[in-house]
């Protein structure tokens, strides 16, 4: 059982009212309203109580499932004590245990649960002592943390975290600032069992930042990046050369299938017609022109809506002129080429289809042969094939590959002559991924990554790289750059120290992004600690120097592996390592130093990230022994008699000073100590006297001597081991008069090695021999027992008491006290009882209420009736039974229904009905529960 710490109360007293809820959540206070009541009562001056010597504490706190003890101390041991919970009297049970120990009255509550979180009071006569019990639930830990998220402007973002308890309270923060309910127009909080979700419907750039989730048992954080959405061109528009009456198809592919656009011809928007159609299926946009005519030759452009981007291509109209030729005509290849030879270079994107039509004339019809290099190619079917038609030979590649690159030659011959043309095919593709992606250095929240250029650039120059990172174990990759990065080294920032990450890199050329990415080995952003603090000299001898320091202010996730101590002689720049292995504690003695030299010292902490900055002594240290006289620094509690009970441990730590190391001697009353009875330990600066189980024989005066040569200091410690006393002697009833008896006794022969503080006297009727307390802490060896019952015969027994407690056995009186009967007879007077019977009648009705959700409230009314009416509370015509949320009180006709922490579901119509054998009555009110906006 722990009370709310005093520093928390002081914090609440000085805090603003707007901060009460945050402080209560941070320190696990479940009932904010009860805490505020207690805070208000602390400012009220408490009047001295006549019944209570010590009242209950203002509040108690206990973890769920544990037990709690509440105790008061009485001024009069004979008064009756009652305990109440929320106004209802508590009866003893296995759950609630009552104890009487001297003047103390203790209430123990076993296995506390949330239903025990209530107001308790102790009643003695008309005086009350009240308190509040706060039951704390176990800490809520995070099972699945937040993950880094990347989104575009306008997209919906959901940040999800999973905790260990359903319905747990969590706090959402952005860049260290709490997201409150006042911002619900922008953020929406959702709970799904153990999952808590923060929803941003339409993300903006202002929403980017680091989001944190805090519970009373942990926290986690993740980064959200919001970027403007950009459109990527997956396939551009290619120039076309077509003949009359053929079909021209312009096709492009973009990254977003929802993007619309328009087609332009020489800058003028194209309208659909029977001959011209425009289609949009998914990410592909097509412009189809049937029955191509000479006027269709122009520049065609596709413009996506909402983006500053255009895709253009040219349509070339191939006009075939047919001239009269004689019957004998040499073969001729009709290609639009310059120079004497037909050489055409065609660039095709890998995966696309290539069709190259070669018009041929000649009479008689020439023979066509295709060659790849020096090898003739004659396949008429397959992925790469030749198609022959009248006056036309076509070379077709379905789904171009890198191996299809090369020089192709077409040769046409007939008896009249020969002609040939060369076709150079170049296949361009996305590049291979970069090689050898590696991390070269890391810091507290950054890491440097480098890579080598890809071996194959896809036939096009590398325009840059795209870098992505993710937490190890996560499936969500987060982009580091939206514009291509041209260098082969990059620094990733805004990382969380101590978390494992992975980075991958894609290569980009004019065709697109590499299909795969090489990933770095997992790494952790980590940094060396700050320098150690408060480096000081603790001791110096002729050859050694003892240093001490405090841990660094900033340690980080890498922790501390140890410390490195170095020294340097005055006039030299060479620093010598004093320890070969790292030192874990914050202190070290450097040995083997030259006597009389001035030495500078420095200390650095070391962890996995390397060495920290140095902590250096401000002045050099002269290596020389410092002589100090011996002196015992006796603790304050040992300057007077030191008292321990039999069986307890005696453990005395006595510091001293002196250089060189003094000789320490212990004696007891001039005699050496028995090592079997008392253990002694001596160090350079203190000594310990230890007795595992104290006995009364260990009492006495112990002398401690600290000596250096002819200098000496001494101290005496008086130890007294005490035990429970023996019983009193010769208890007798000295005199009896009326209803009183005088009992006397002799103090015990054994006082337990300490003074007798009092006696406890008990009486017992000879008939039942049940013993009852008469007096406690009686100082004199006699007492007068009053209020004895006429006609009874009494025995008395007495316990002696000292600081160890009551004696094990009592001493019983040798004779008895007989209370004689008298001849008086009591005759009561006759009287007539007044008829006060009446049916229930409400004097004060229920009043309609509107309350705020989460703050306890109460409904009140008053009723009169005799016999005492039975009271029934109903909600929406349904009787309220054993529900811990509702607490019903009936005090002198005043009826109260307490509702703890109501929610909107607790709103409705409440009815209070009173019934006795003469009739019944009821009152009704409405309760509305509002949620704060």
């Amino acid at each position: 059982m722990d009370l709310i710490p005093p520093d928390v109360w002081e914090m609440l007293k000085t805090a603003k009212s707007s901060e009460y809820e945050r402080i209560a959540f941070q320190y696990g206070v479940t009932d904010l309203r009860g805490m505020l009541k207690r805070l208000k009562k602390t400012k009220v001056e408490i009047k001295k109580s006549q019944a209570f010597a010590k009242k209950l504490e203002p509040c108690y706190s206990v973890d769920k499932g544990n037990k709690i003890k509440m105790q008061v101390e009485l001024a009069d041991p004979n008064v009756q004590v009652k305990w109440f919970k929320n106004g209802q009297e508590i009866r003893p049970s296995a759950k609630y245990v009552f104890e009487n120990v001297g003047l103390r009255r203790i209430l123990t509550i076993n296995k506390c649960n949330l239903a025990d979180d209530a107001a308790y009071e102790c009643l003695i006569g008309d005086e009350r002592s009240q308190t509040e019990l706060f039951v704390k639930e176990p800490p809520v830990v995070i099972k699945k943390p937040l993950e880094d998220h990347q989104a575009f402007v306008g997209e919906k973002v959901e940040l999800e975290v999973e905790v260990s308890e359903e319905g747990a309270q969590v706090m959402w923060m952005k860049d260290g600032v709490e997201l409150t309910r006042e911002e619900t127009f922008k953020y929406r909080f959702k709970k799904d069992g153990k999952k808590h979700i923060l929803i941003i419907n339409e993300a903006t750039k202002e929403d980017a930042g680091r989001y944190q989730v805090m519970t009373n048992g942990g926290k986690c954080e993740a980064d959200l990046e919001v970027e403007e959405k950009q459109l990527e061109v997956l396939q551009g528009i290619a120039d076309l050369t077509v003949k009359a009456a053929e079909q021209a198809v312009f096709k492009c592919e973009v990254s977003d299938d929802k993007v619309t656009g328009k087609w332009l011809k020489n800058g003028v928007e194209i309208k659909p017609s029977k001959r011209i159609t425009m289609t949009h299926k998914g990410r592909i946009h097509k412009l189809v022109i049937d029955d191509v005519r000479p006027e269709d030759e122009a520049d065609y452009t596709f413009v996506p809506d909402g983006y500053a981007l255009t895709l253009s291509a040219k349509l070339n109209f191939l006009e075939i002129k047919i001239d009269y030729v004689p019957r004998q005509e040499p073969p001729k290849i009709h290609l639009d080429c310059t120079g004497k030879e037909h050489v055409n270079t065609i660039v095709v994107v890998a995966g696309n289809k290539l069709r190259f039509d070669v018009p041929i004339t000649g009479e008689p019809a020439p023979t066509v042969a295709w060659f790849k290099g020096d090898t003739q190619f004659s396949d008429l079917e397959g992925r790469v094939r030749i198609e022959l038609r009248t006056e036309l030979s076509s070379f077709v590649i379905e789904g171009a590959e890198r191996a299809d690159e090369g020089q192709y030659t077409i040769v046409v011959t007939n008896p009249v002559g020969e002609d040939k043309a060369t076709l150079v095919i170049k296949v361009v593709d996305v590049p291979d991924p970069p090689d050898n992606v590696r991390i070269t250095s890391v810091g507290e929240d950054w890491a440097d990554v480098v890579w080598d250029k890809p071996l194959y650039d896809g036939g096009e120059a590398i325009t840059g790289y795209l870098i992505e990172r993710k937490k190890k174990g996560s499936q969500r990759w987060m982009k580091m750059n939206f514009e291509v990065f041209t260098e082969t080294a990059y620094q990733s920032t805004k990382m969380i120290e101590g978390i494992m990450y992975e980075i991958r890199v894609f290569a980009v050329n004019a065709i697109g992004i590499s299909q795969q990415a090489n990933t770095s080995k997992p790494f952790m952003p980590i940094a060396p600690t700050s320098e150690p603090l408060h480096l000081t000299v603790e001791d110096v001898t002729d050859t050694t120097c003892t240093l001490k320091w405090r841990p660094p202010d900033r340690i980080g996730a890498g922790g501390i592996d140890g410390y490195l101590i170095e020294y340097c002689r005055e006039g030299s720049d060479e620093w010598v390592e004093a320890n070969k292995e790292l030192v874990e504690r914050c202190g070290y003695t450097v040995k083997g130093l030259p006597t009389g030299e001035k030495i500078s010292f420095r200390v650095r902490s070391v962890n996995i990230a390397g060495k920290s900055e140095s902590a250096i002594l401000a002045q050099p240290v002269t290596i020389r022994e410092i002589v100090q006289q011996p002196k015992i620094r006796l603790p304050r509690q040992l300057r007077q008699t030191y008292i321990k009970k039999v069986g307890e441990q005696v453990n005395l730590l006595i510091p001293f000073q002196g250089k060189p190391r003094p000789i320490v001697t212990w004696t007891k009353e001039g005699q050496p100590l028995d090592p079997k009875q008392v253990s002694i330990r001596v160090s350079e600066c203190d000594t310990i006297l230890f007795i595992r189980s104290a006995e009364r024989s260990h009492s006495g005066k112990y002398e401690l001597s600290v000596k250096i040569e002819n200098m000496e200091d001494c101290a005496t410690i008086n130890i007294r081991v005490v035990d429970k006393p023996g019983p009193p002697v010769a208890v007798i009833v000295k005199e009896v008069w009326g209803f009183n008896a005088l009992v006397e006794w002799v103090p015990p022969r054994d006082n337990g090695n300490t003074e007798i503080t009092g006696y406890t006297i008990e009486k017992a009727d000879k008939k039942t021999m049940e013993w009852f307390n008469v007096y406690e802490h009686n100082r004199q060896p006699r007492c007068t027992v009053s209020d004895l019952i006429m006609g009874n015969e009494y025995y008395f027994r007495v316990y002696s008491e000292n600081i160890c407690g009551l004696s094990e056995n009592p001493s019983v009186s040798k004779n008895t006290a007989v209370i004689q009967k008298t001849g008086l007879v009591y005759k009561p007077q006759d009287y007539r009882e007044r008829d006060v019977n009446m049916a229930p009648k409400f004097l004060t009705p229920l009043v309609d209420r509107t309350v705020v959700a989460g703050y306890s409230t109460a409904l009140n009314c008053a009723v009169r009736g005799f016999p005492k009416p039975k009271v029934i509370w109903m909600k929406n015509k349904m009787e309220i039974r054993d529900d811990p949320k509702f607490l019903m009180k009936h005090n002198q006709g005043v009826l109260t229904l307490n509702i703890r922490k109501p929610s909107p579901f607790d709103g409705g119509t409440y009815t209070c009905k009173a019934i006795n054998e003469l009739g019944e009555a009821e009152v009704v009110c409405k309760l509305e529960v509002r949620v704060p906006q």
Side-chain angles (χ1 to χ4, degrees):
M1 182 272 292
D2 294 321
L3 298 177
I4 295 180
D7 56 340
V8 178
W9 284 112
E10 293 300 324
M11 188 185 307
L12 288 167
K13 291 177 183 178
T14 58
K16 298 179 180 179
S17 57
S18 59
E19 297 180 351
Y20 288 162
E21 187 171 357
R22 177 185 63 79
I23 296 173
F25 173 80
Q26 182 176 353
Y27 291 94
V29 180
T30 58
D31 188 354
L32 178 61
R33 190 180 184 92
M35 182 189 72
L36 293 177
K37 288 181 179 178
R38 282 295 148 207
L39 185 63
K40 184 176 181 181
K41 288 183 179 180
T42 57
K43 302 178 181 178
V44 180
E45 182 179 356
I46 302 176
K47 297 181 180 179
K48 188 173 181 180
S49 172
Q50 297 296 326
F52 293 94
K54 183 179 179 182
K55 289 191 173 185
L56 294 169
E57 298 291 343
C59 67
Y60 294 84
S61 177
V62 64
D63 292 330
K64 182 179 178 182
N66 293 346
K67 71 177 181 179
I68 184 80
K69 287 191 176 184
M70 307 178 189
Q71 66 177 14
V72 296
E73 190 170 332
L74 308 183
D76 182 359
N78 297 319
V79 297
Q80 185 179 7
V81 176
K82 293 184 179 180
W83 294 91
F84 293 86
K85 171 186 175 183
N86 288 336
Q88 293 186 346
E89 185 174 355
I90 302 174
R91 300 297 181 185
S93 63
K95 174 89 172 170
Y96 302 101
V97 179
F98 297 168
E99 297 180 74
N100 296 346
V101 181
L103 290 175
R104 291 182 299 159
R105 300 296 182 263
I106 303 172
L107 168 63
T108 302
I109 306 176
N110 295 312
K111 296 182 180 179
C112 292
N113 53 41
L114 294 182
D116 297 318
D117 187 293
Y120 291 83
E121 62 182 2
C122 178
L123 178 64
I124 301 177
D126 295 332
E127 287 199 39
R128 300 174 183 269
S129 176
Q130 298 178 329
T131 187
E132 290 272 351
L133 174 60
F134 299 117
V135 180
K136 297 188 293 184
E137 296 190 74
V140 178
V141 298
I142 294 174
K143 292 294 187 182
K144 183 179 179 183
L146 294 172
E147 291 189 351
D148 292 339
H149 204 89
Q150 197 169 27
F152 293 105
V153 173
E155 287 187 344
K156 181 178 180 181
V157 178
E158 292 189 2
L159 299 177
E160 180 180 302
V161 66
E162 184 176 345
V163 297
S164 58
E165 299 288 336
E166 289 191 10
Q169 185 178 2
V170 303
M171 179 187 296
W172 288 89
M173 304 179 72
K174 176 179 179 290
D175 295 330
V177 180
E178 182 182 358
L179 301 178
T180 60
R181 292 182 175 178
E182 285 74 11
E183 300 181 40
T184 51
F185 67 94
K186 189 171 190 178
Y187 302 105
R188 187 158 59 91
F189 304 96
K190 178 181 177 183
K191 292 183 181 179
D192 183 8
K194 298 180 181 179
K195 295 181 179 179
H196 294 254
I197 305 170
L198 172 63
I199 302 174
I200 306 174
N201 286 324
E202 294 185 0
T204 63
K205 282 196 170 183
E206 289 74 17
D207 295 325
R210 180 160 291 181
Y211 288 78
Q212 299 97 6
V213 173
M214 292 183 62
T215 69
N216 58 5
K219 67 177 182 178
C220 65
E221 55 187 22
D223 292 326
L224 170 63
E225 291 193 5
V226 182
E227 297 290 342
E228 293 287 350
K229 192 171 185 179
Q230 298 187 4
L231 189 67
E232 297 181 12
V233 179
L234 303 180
Q235 179 181 346
I237 307 174
D239 293 343
L240 297 178
T241 301
V242 295
K243 296 187 296 183
E246 290 187 344
Q247 184 186 70
V249 179
F250 289 100
K251 181 177 73 171
C252 65
E253 184 177 358
V254 294
S255 58
D256 193 342
D257 58 358
K258 297 180 180 178
V259 170
T260 59
K262 56 187 176 181
W263 291 88
L264 306 179
K265 176 182 178 182
N266 291 332
V268 180
E269 186 176 355
I270 302 173
K271 302 298 182 181
S273 65
K274 293 182 179 180
R275 201 167 56 88
I276 301 175
T277 57
M278 291 168 282
T279 60
H280 171 203
K281 292 184 179 180
R283 297 181 297 184
I284 298 176
H285 297 259
K286 283 186 180 181
L287 171 64
V288 180
I289 305 175
D290 295 323
D291 188 17
V292 175
R293 301 171 184 174
E295 58 268 23
D296 294 328
E297 186 173 29
D299 289 328
Y300 290 85
T301 304
F302 176 71
V303 180
D305 294 335
Y307 294 91
L309 176 70
T310 59
L311 304 174
S312 300
K314 187 172 183 180
L315 175 62
N316 297 311
F317 181 78
L318 180 62
E319 184 177 358
I320 302 177
K321 297 181 179 180
I322 303 176
D323 299 328
Y324 173 77
V325 293
R327 301 289 294 177
Q328 292 288 333
E329 180 183 1
K332 184 174 180 58
I333 297 174
H334 298 275
L335 290 176
D336 184 12
C337 300
T338 59
K340 297 181 180 180
E341 295 185 355
H342 299 298
V343 178
N344 288 265
T345 300
I346 297 178
V347 178
V348 61
V349 178
N352 288 1
K353 177 179 179 180
L354 169 66
R355 181 184 183 90
F356 187 70
D357 295 333
V358 181
I360 302 170
T361 59
E363 189 66 33
T367 302
V368 180
W370 285 87
F371 296 86
K372 181 179 182 182
D374 296 331
T375 303
Q376 185 173 356
F377 184 83
S378 59
D379 291 347
L380 299 179
E381 295 182 356
R383 186 180 65 82
V384 182
R385 63 185 184 274
I386 299 171
E387 295 181 359
L388 298 176
R389 287 184 285 178
T390 304
E391 297 183 351
L392 187 68
S393 180
S394 301
F395 182 73
V396 180
I397 300 178
E398 298 279 358
E401 298 176 356
R402 192 181 303 178
D404 296 329
E405 280 191 343
Q407 180 175 300
Y408 294 82
T409 304
I410 179 173
V411 179
V412 293
T413 57
N414 71 358
V416 181
E418 179 182 285
D419 195 7
K420 66 179 179 179
T422 300
L423 172 64
V424 177
I425 296 178
K426 182 179 180 182
V427 180
V428 294
D429 197 357
V430 295
D432 287 347
D435 288 334
N436 197 17
V437 179
R438 58 201 181 276
I439 306 298
T440 57
S441 60
V442 296
E444 182 178 2
D445 62 349
W446 57 269
D448 288 333
V449 57
V450 298
W451 59 89
D452 298 334
K453 292 184 177 181
L455 298 177
Y456 174 65
D457 62 3
E460 293 284 343
I462 299 295
T463 58
Y465 303 91
L466 295 177
I467 303 98
E468 296 181 349
R469 79 171 184 225
K470 74 176 181 69
K471 296 176 182 176
K472 185 180 179 183
S474 174
Q475 302 299 320
R476 188 190 299 275
W477 287 93
M478 185 172 167
K479 288 187 178 180
M480 296 291 97
N481 60 314
F482 287 88
E483 298 292 337
V484 291
F485 186 73
T486 57
E487 304 295 331
T488 58
Y490 181 81
Q491 185 176 83
S492 177
T493 59
K494 296 182 180 179
M495 308 175 82
I496 303 174
E497 186 179 12
I499 300 297
M500 297 293 291
Y501 286 90
E502 294 175 325
I503 289 181
R504 67 182 183 185
V505 184
F506 295 87
V508 182
N509 64 7
I511 306 304
I513 305 172
S514 57
Q515 295 296 326
Q516 298 178 344
N518 284 332
T519 304
S520 70
K521 293 181 179 179
F523 66 93
M524 179 187 296
I526 204 166
T529 69
S530 58
E531 70 276 3
L533 304 175
H534 307 297
L535 175 61
T536 57
V537 176
E538 189 175 29
D539 189 20
V540 180
T541 67
D542 287 340
T543 58
T544 66
C545 180
T546 301
L547 305 173
K548 66 177 182 179
W549 58 89
R550 291 184 181 178
D553 183 44
R554 181 187 58 77
I555 295 178
I560 296 180
D561 295 337
Y563 298 93
L564 179 64
I565 298 92
E566 299 173 307
Y567 65 89
C568 176
R569 296 190 181 188
E570 188 176 39
S572 174
D573 295 332
E574 180 183 0
W575 288 91
V576 181
E577 292 185 358
N579 56 320
K580 295 182 180 180
E581 296 183 357
L582 295 178
V583 177
E584 294 185 0
R585 64 186 185 90
C586 295
Y588 185 73
T589 300
V590 183
K591 301 179 180 179
L593 299 175
T595 305
E597 290 276 357
K598 289 188 176 182
I599 305 292
S600 296
F601 295 92
R602 70 182 185 186
V603 178
R604 293 192 286 180
S605 60
V606 182
N607 67 4
I608 190 174
K611 301 176 182 178
S612 70
E613 295 293 329
S614 300
I616 305 177
L617 282 177
Q619 300 293 335
V621 180
T622 302
I623 307 303
R624 185 177 293 113
E625 179 76 32
I626 301 173
V627 178
Q628 189 178 33
Q629 289 187 353
K631 183 174 179 60
I632 298 173
R633 299 191 177 276
L634 195 64
R636 185 181 300 273
Q637 70 271 19
L638 298 181
R639 297 176 187 174
Q640 55 190 5
T641 302
Y642 185 74
I643 299 176
K644 278 288 183 179
K645 297 179 182 180
V646 170
E648 293 183 340
Q649 285 186 356
V650 177
N651 190 2
L652 305 182
L653 173 65
I654 303 175
F656 59 81
Q657 64 185 32
K659 288 186 179 180
R661 182 171 176 174
I663 299 174
V664 179
T665 305
W666 281 92
T667 59
K668 179 184 178 184
E669 297 176 353
Q671 301 297 320
L673 300 181
D674 183 1
K676 295 182 180 179
Q677 298 288 331
V678 182
S679 299
I680 301 296
R681 185 190 70 81
V682 180
S683 69
E684 293 183 356
C685 59
D686 58 39
T687 178
I688 294 177
L689 182 144
F690 179 75
I691 303 174
R692 185 174 301 278
S693 180
E695 299 177 1
R696 290 174 66 171
S697 60
H698 292 138
S699 301
K701 291 185 179 181
Y702 291 76
E703 295 86 17
L704 170 63
S705 171
V706 179
K707 185 175 182 181
I708 301 176
E709 297 178 355
N710 60 347
M711 297 179 291
E712 183 179 11
D713 191 18
C714 298
T716 301
I717 299 99
N718 191 4
I719 298 177
R720 182 191 299 174
V721 181
V722 299
D723 198 0
K724 292 182 178 181
V729 179
V731 179
I732 63 172
V733 179
K734 192 72 173 179
E735 184 179 355
V736 178
W737 71 95
F739 301 104
N740 308 301
L742 174 62
V743 182
E744 292 184 353
W745 59 90
V746 177
R749 298 185 181 91
D750 179 12
N751 63 0
N753 205 23
T754 183
E755 66 175 347
I756 298 297
T757 59
Y759 301 91
T760 296
I761 301 92
E762 296 180 348
K763 67 180 179 181
D765 186 359
K766 186 177 180 180
K767 298 176 184 177
T768 61
M769 290 305 293
E770 291 184 8
W771 294 96
F772 297 93
N773 270 8
V774 177
Y775 292 108
E776 291 180 344
H777 312 302
N778 189 75
R779 300 288 296 181
Q780 301 297 326
R782 70 188 67 84
C783 72
T784 299
V785 181
S786 304
D787 299 328
L788 299 176
I789 299 174
M790 181 174 57
N792 288 358
E793 184 177 357
Y794 292 91
Y795 279 97
F796 299 93
R797 67 182 184 186
V798 182
Y799 292 87
S800 54
E801 182 179 3
N802 64 8
I803 60 174
C804 293
L806 299 177
S807 58
E808 295 290 346
N809 300 308
S811 181
V812 183
S813 61
K814 297 179 180 179
N815 56 342
T816 61
V818 180
I819 309 302
Q820 300 294 337
K821 292 184 179 180
T822 63
L824 298 177
V825 178
Y826 173 70
K827 295 182 179 181
Q829 296 181 357
D830 296 333
Y831 69 94
R832 289 177 54 190
E833 292 186 359
R834 180 181 176 186
D835 186 8
V836 294
N837 293 337
M838 66 177 294
K841 178 182 179 182
F842 281 92
L843 305 179
T844 304
L846 292 173
V847 180
D848 293 343
R849 296 288 303 276
T850 299
V851 298
V852 178
Y855 292 87
S856 299
T857 187
L859 303 178
N860 300 285
C861 61
V863 68
R864 176 185 293 173
F866 191 89
K868 183 179 179 180
K870 176 184 178 183
V871 177
I872 300 175
W873 286 92
M874 293 182 289
K875 173 189 171 185
N876 296 330
K877 301 301 182 181
M878 297 294 292
E879 184 177 353
I880 300 173
R881 295 188 178 274
D882 297 331
D883 189 342
K885 178 180 281 289
F886 299 93
L887 175 63
M888 292 167 277
K889 296 182 180 180
H890 185 176
N891 184 17
Q892 300 296 326
V894 179
L895 308 180
T896 304
L897 176 65
N898 288 314
I899 306 175
R900 290 174 60 82
K901 302 177 184 178
S903 66
F905 301 100
D906 295 321
T909 301
Y910 285 80
T911 304
C912 180
K913 180 181 288 187
I915 305 171
N916 68 5
E917 59 189 23
L918 300 178
E920 65 179 49
E922 67 177 36
V923 287
V924 179
C925 74
K926 291 184 179 180
L927 177 65
E928 180 182 356
V929 182
R930 294 184 178 176
V931 177
Q933 299 297 322

